[in-house]
Amino acid sequence: EYTASDVYVKVYEIQIQQDGVYRFTSEIISGNSSTSVYGYMGLYKNGAIIAEASTNLVTFEYKAIDHTCVKGDIMSIRYKSSHTAYSA
């Protein structure tokens, strides 16, 4: 699903059932080659952002974030996009 937002939009959330290191993955895209558009993936833990990945490519780019979690943590992946006017 594509979002165009200056704020993160939650798209996935889980509650951790066991302590350990987890890999959170996604593919993100900027979607526009003629302007400076960036796609962002934010990893949230218990409602606070803990990591961010971004791209300005017009094709999907795989991103992975490893994070140590404990049982009961609420982890979510959220997306946003930003746009900066193109100047030649």
Side-chain angles (χ1 to χ4, degrees):
E1 181 176 322
Y2 298 98
T3 63
S5 175
D6 288 333
V7 296
Y8 277 101
V9 176
K10 184 179 356 177
V11 294
Y12 182 77
E13 182 174 87
I14 62 168
Q15 183 173 22
I16 300 299
Q17 300 300 312
Q18 182 176 337
D19 296 358
V21 176
Y22 288 80
R23 175 164 288 167
F24 298 89
T25 62
S26 185
E27 289 184 321
I28 55 177
I29 188 172
S30 73
N32 192 326
S33 62
S34 64
T35 59
S36 298
V37 177
Y38 287 82
Y40 296 89
M41 174 185 86
L43 180 62
Y44 281 69
K45 179 177 181 177
N46 301 321
I49 191 166
I50 58 168
E52 183 177 74
S54 65
T55 188
N56 66 344
L57 298 178
V58 296
T59 57
F60 282 102
E61 185 175 352
Y62 176 84
K63 298 290 186 176
I65 300 171
D66 294 336
H67 187 73
T68 301
C69 302
V70 297
K71 183 178 180 177
D73 283 343
I74 304 294
M75 304 298 295
S76 64
I77 291 178
R78 304 178 190 197
Y79 297 113
K80 75 174 182 176
S81 64
S82 69
H83 177 269
T84 304
Y86 175 78
S87 58

